[in-house]
Amino acid sequence: MAIGLPKRLLTTAATALLLAAGLAACGDSAEPAGAPKTLTYWASNQGSSLDADKQILQPELDKFERQTGIKVTVEVVPWSDLLNRLLAAATSGQGPDVVNIGNTWSASLQATGAFIPFDDATIAAVGGKDRFVPAALAAAGAAGKPPTAVPIYSLAYALYYNKKMFADAGITAPPATWEDLVTAGRKLTGGGKWGLAVEGANISENAHHAFTFGQQYGGEWFDAAGKATFDTPQNVAAIKRYIDFMAVDKIANPSNAEYAQNQSVSDFANGKAAMLLWQAAGSALKAQNMSPDAYGVAPVPFLASPPSGGKRVNSMVAGINMAVFKHTKNRDAALQFVKFMTSDEEQVILNRTYGSLPSVKTVAGDAAFAAPEQKALAEVLGSTAAPLPQVPAESQFETLVGTAMKELFADAASGKQITEEMVKAKLTNAQQQVRS
Amino acid sequence: MTATTAPDRLRRPATPPRAPARPARRTRRSLLPYLLLVPAVVLELGVHVVPMVVGVWMSLLELTQFHIRDWSTAPFVGLDNYRATLDVDTAAGQELLHSFWVTAAYTVASVGLSWLLGIAAAVVLQRPFRGRAFLRTLFLTPYALPIYAAVVTWSFMFQRDTGLVNQVLLDTGITDHRPFWLIGGNSFVAVLVVSVWRSWPFAFLCLMAGLQNVPDDMYEAAYIDGAGFWRRFQYVTLPMLRPVNQVLLLVLFLWTFNDFNTPYLLFGGSAPPAADLVSIHIYQSSFIIWDFGAGSAMSVTLLLFLLVVTAGYLFLTRRRRSDA
């Protein structure tokens, strides 16, 4: 019983406890010299689950340890947490050595200065600039600055179409223009089925389409000085074209306006919709029991007669980059690991597993990427894909324009007529909220 | 008379009678309690006070991604962040104001409904009957469920084509078409329903505990005086529950006004305008676009507003109590 103990003893014990707690908090966690090097790696969620990713990555990390003696501890971070976790690590100067980042964050994260820039010497240490697919490397930081990361998985948008539904409707070839897509969509819509599935409440998806359509109409979301130019006539026309699939053409189910959890992929896989614009949907479709024979993959359509200034772009350069934190105590080991993950062998193994494309040119011709889906994606990535604006305010574009489009879809779904004035008003409102 | 004096006994139950201090050995003994308080003080400082002070400091800086790594490089901008976010002539200021009104309506409705449901259930379950324990457990289930699983389940139930809510509405003939719940005007109703569903069990729990303290003889006395159910409720139950209600309403108000999880999980990260609650609005319009200074300015403003409301509420309820 505490009451029976001498007070002095209690006081001493309490003091000791506090001191011990304080000392432990101050303890230095640096490794003693000569110990085997350990790296911490935050991987992004590329497979069907966090566990699946861990099981895919672990054998490769073991291989790396056998080759170099460097142990890599991996944590797969879900997308919903990744950016917040990266920011916390950047702010505190503590955290992992090597991380995966979504390539659209490159310029924003570059501005934090938290990552080692891949200048000529650094990029040479991981195999050299010329190894990488130029489009993918262009999405790794602002133009004119050394990339803040190097690409490891590349993706592009494509048009996925249900072969049987196309055959039943008497459509022989996938549409190459938006006009054809609408014609085909009208034939395919009816009886509870729809021509096209869109992910109307998903802000990022919306913003990605805003970019592609904007490019085709000759619009830019930021000017050369990095200032937002959301409400130009070109951008208004571009957004209206996309929303009109639901509002005017009525080839997309109004319910799609509330889709934000990849329900459009499910609708396509279940035959409720005949077409889908998505990036590397193959593995997701397989997970929902849609056989690769059941669908075709074609490039995202273009405008039949593009306006002046319209660009021949039908996808963003989508993908994942790998970056090294400046605060790492094992810079050389971290770069060695980046080199390993972007080596020919690992690029084939990992991208084959994830259904993405290699970010290095040397293995582009590998048999692992000869499936129709990968061939179509590689074709787009190599010729008609462009990176999203590499400016620090890019995330504001995604949030504000993506949200404006979500609201327009909601209006369209409730039967409101979508006019150019409405689109322009939404985009003007979004633009006014951009902080520079 | 009894009804007004008895609660006074209940109002300050937490203070035990203080033992008279002996003057001898006083200095040596008085050290220990303070020492034992240190961990609590350190934690309180670390968990509450320091982050709050840092938040206030952040709100005075132009803290964007350019300065997040080294805050000392962030330019000091004074009240510029406040001016920019609270200027109702700008688009951003108007959206924040709109969000504030939505949140106010949401909070009033949610707290009111939660309290009504809570008091109704507590009164019904006040007298023992067969199945009372089962009902109590059942009513408390929403409070015990993990919020993530619960709200995501609601978001599936609210889906237009495949959701349970629309299926029930159609089957019972309440509507003949499928309304949207997660976008458009109905989204306010959707988030309100989930909020009430989540918070009324807490009201029920507190009020049920409060009712245990109402002596039976007061009801008997009222009954003998000829008071019916409503009069007993009005003149015995409600006055006896006043100390519980005072705290309960305040806590529910603060929780609901600040609620982030419910809209975030229900609407997948960005709320539709009709349900644009202020916590998620701040998250969307500042943190997610890397403007941490502006986000902090909005958060500090929200904190000040809640402080003023809380202080005003406590002042009013205290005064009414001393009047009584």
Side-chain angles (χ1 to χ4, degrees):
Chain A
M1 289 295 283
I3 297 164
L5 285 172
K7 291 263 152 50
R8 196 183 301 166
L9 186 66
L10 253 182
T11 318
T12 319
T15 318
L17 193 74
L18 285 173
L19 278 176
L23 281 178
C26 303
D28 191 2
S29 56
E31 290 166 20
K37 281 182 183 153
T38 303
L39 293 174
T40 306
Y41 169 45
W42 283 357
S44 52
N45 178 202
Q46 302 301 125
S48 54
S49 71
L50 303 185
D51 264 351
D53 275 332
K54 215 165 164 280
Q55 277 165 24
I56 289 164
L57 290 170
Q58 199 55 53
E60 311 310 315
L61 303 181
D62 293 343
K63 195 194 293 173
F64 178 64
E65 187 177 356
R66 282 197 299 277
Q67 286 174 10
T68 60
I70 302 166
K71 186 174 161 54
V72 180
T73 317
V74 64
E75 182 187 350
V76 185
V77 183
W79 281 107
S80 52
D81 288 352
L82 188 55
L83 186 57
N84 288 341
R85 297 272 300 269
L86 289 171
L87 286 173
T91 312
S92 64
Q94 306 204 330
D97 305 278
V98 183
V99 291
N100 284 3
I101 63 173
N103 71 356
T104 61
W105 304 337
S106 295
S108 293
L109 285 170
Q110 185 175 39
T112 67
F115 294 132
I116 291 175
F118 280 88
D119 52 24
D120 289 344
T122 314
I123 208 164
V126 298
K129 197 184 255 177
D130 297 336
R131 263 183 74 69
F132 295 97
V133 175
L137 197 60
K145 285 187 189 165
T148 199
V150 291
I152 59 165
Y153 312 128
S154 289
L155 297 159
Y157 274 87
L159 172 70
Y160 293 77
Y161 61 96
N162 185 314
K163 284 183 184 166
K164 183 168 182 303
M165 289 169 83
F166 266 52
D168 290 349
I171 306 164
T172 47
T177 67
W178 294 117
E179 289 77 359
D180 289 350
L181 182 135
V182 171
T183 312
R186 287 205 173 115
K187 283 187 199 161
L188 293 156
T189 301
K193 304 202 189 298
W194 297 86
L196 179 71
V198 297
E199 193 81 3
N202 184 322
I203 291 172
S204 301
E205 285 294 323
N206 282 345
H208 296 165
H209 292 301
F211 169 73
T212 308
F213 279 82
Q215 292 278 299
Q216 293 195 8
Y217 277 88
E220 292 293 345
W221 296 94
F222 292 94
D223 64 15
K227 213 167 138 6
T229 53
F230 291 176
D231 60 355
T232 62
Q234 293 90 338
N235 288 341
V236 171
I239 300 298
K240 188 160 186 308
R241 171 61 277 172
Y242 185 56
I243 306 288
D244 277 352
F245 291 137
M246 180 187 290
V248 175
D249 309 320
K250 313 231 182 267
I251 58 170
N253 185 348
S255 290
N256 292 7
E258 66 176 13
Y259 283 8
Q261 284 137 346
N262 298 352
Q263 293 101 321
S264 57
V265 180
S266 307
D267 278 5
F268 180 75
N270 299 330
K272 286 187 196 164
M275 292 182 279
L276 175 72
L277 299 163
W278 208 257
Q279 35 175 319
S283 52
L285 295 173
K286 199 171 162 194
Q288 304 207 31
N289 299 320
M290 190 179 198
S291 134
D293 306 331
Y295 61 86
V297 186
V300 172
F302 294 95
L303 287 165
S305 45
S308 69
K311 296 195 185 74
R312 207 173 156 72
V313 167
N314 63 352
S315 172
M316 64 183 273
V317 177
I320 313 302
N321 293 344
M322 203 174 201
V324 178
F325 265 110
K326 264 186 195 156
H327 64 231
T328 177
K329 294 198 180 83
N330 293 313
R331 186 190 149 106
D332 290 343
L335 288 175
Q336 250 180 299
F337 180 54
V338 173
K339 185 176 184 184
F340 171 80
M341 292 292 276
T342 54
S343 67
D344 290 359
E345 188 186 345
E346 294 310 307
Q347 280 288 301
V348 171
I349 294 173
L350 292 171
N351 283 300
R352 183 180 55 204
T353 312
Y354 286 136
S356 48
L357 293 171
S359 62
V360 295
K361 290 188 261 184
T362 37
V363 294
D366 193 280
F369 309 109
E373 184 188 10
Q374 273 67 33
K375 270 177 126 166
L377 294 177
E379 167 83 27
V380 171
L381 204 58
S383 56
T384 51
L388 280 178
Q390 294 291 310
V391 295
E394 193 279 331
S395 53
Q396 301 192 42
F397 155 69
E398 286 201 31
T399 306
L400 294 166
V401 175
T403 303
M405 292 167 76
K406 173 181 171 173
E407 288 167 13
L408 286 167
F409 269 126
D411 286 341
S414 65
K416 266 190 216 160
Q417 211 187 338
I418 305 297
T419 62
E420 280 191 10
E421 289 72 35
M422 273 170 76
V423 178
K424 186 170 162 57
K426 288 266 185 213
L427 290 177
T428 306
N429 183 282
Q431 183 175 323
Q432 282 168 354
Q433 292 182 58
V434 175
R435 281 189 282 272
S436 49
Chain B
M1 278 314 283
T2 339
T4 49
T5 50
D8 278 320
R9 269 190 295 120
L10 302 167
R11 266 171 204 147
R12 291 191 195 83
T15 333
R18 197 176 292 165
R22 272 184 295 173
R25 301 172 65 199
R26 192 175 168 177
T27 6
R28 266 182 57 200
R29 275 164 136 222
S30 58
L31 245 177
L32 181 65
Y34 291 109
L35 205 58
L36 290 175
L37 273 177
V38 168
V41 171
V42 167
L43 282 176
E44 175 64 20
L45 283 174
V47 176
H48 273 136
V49 180
V50 172
M52 235 150 70
V53 173
V54 171
V56 173
W57 181 49
M58 272 169 80
S59 72
L60 305 175
L61 301 176
E62 190 195 308
L63 193 60
T64 58
Q65 67 258 52
F66 297 98
H67 310 288
I68 186 80
R69 220 172 128 247
D70 183 1
W71 291 18
S72 62
T73 62
F76 183 86
V77 293
L79 296 177
D80 278 7
N81 283 328
Y82 291 89
R83 247 172 252 136
T85 49
L86 299 180
D87 183 358
V88 291
D89 292 336
T90 64
Q94 262 171 17
E95 301 245 320
L96 184 66
L97 190 67
H98 165 81
S99 163
F100 174 83
W101 288 121
V102 169
T103 315
Y106 164 77
T107 309
V108 170
S110 170
V111 172
L113 289 171
S114 300
W115 185 85
L116 275 179
L117 283 173
I119 188 83
V123 168
V124 168
L125 298 192
Q126 197 178 4
R127 302 262 158 262
F129 60 89
R130 213 177 142 79
R132 183 167 78 146
F134 170 75
L135 279 182
R136 268 187 190 169
T137 317
L138 183 74
F139 287 171
L140 287 176
T141 324
Y143 191 59
L145 283 178
I147 180 164
Y148 195 96
V151 180
V152 167
T153 307
W154 272 107
S155 83
F156 287 127
M157 283 167 49
F158 275 127
Q159 281 187 8
R160 182 185 183 230
D161 281 356
T162 50
L164 189 69
V165 172
N166 275 351
Q167 202 54 51
V168 170
L169 288 180
L170 279 182
D171 289 349
T172 52
I174 294 173
T175 59
D176 52 358
H177 69 289
R178 292 175 174 272
F180 279 106
W181 292 103
L182 298 175
I183 54 175
N186 287 345
S187 54
F188 182 80
V189 179
V191 73
L192 182 63
V193 165
V194 179
S195 168
V196 170
W197 177 84
R198 267 193 58 74
S199 51
W200 86 268
F202 178 74
F204 165 65
L205 189 70
C206 291
L207 294 167
M208 195 170 63
L211 285 179
Q212 308 291 314
N213 283 336
V214 184
D216 278 346
D217 43 6
M218 289 180 61
Y219 284 111
E220 280 165 24
Y223 184 73
I224 291 166
D225 287 347
F229 172 79
W230 284 112
R231 302 214 82 164
R232 287 201 301 268
F233 180 72
Q234 193 181 350
Y235 292 109
V236 179
T237 310
L238 279 184
M240 290 298 285
L241 283 178
R242 241 182 85 185
V244 174
N245 278 332
Q246 190 191 354
V247 176
L248 175 65
L249 289 178
L250 183 63
V251 167
L252 279 182
F253 164 76
L254 291 176
W255 284 351
T256 312
F257 206 97
N258 276 323
D259 192 8
F260 178 79
N261 289 326
T262 310
Y264 184 79
L265 297 172
L266 194 62
F267 300 119
S270 87
D276 192 15
L277 300 180
V278 77
S279 55
I280 199 165
H281 184 86
I282 292 175
Y283 176 74
Q284 274 290 334
S285 62
S286 58
F287 290 97
I288 205 115
I289 59 175
W290 313 68
D291 195 341
F292 309 96
S296 300
M298 291 189 204
S299 305
V300 171
T301 312
L302 180 64
L303 174 78
L304 289 178
F305 169 75
L306 293 177
L307 268 180
V308 168
V309 172
T310 308
Y313 175 81
L314 289 178
F315 176 75
L316 281 178
T317 48
R318 288 257 160 89
R319 204 179 56 176
R320 261 203 281 161
R321 188 204 294 171
S322 50
D323 287 350

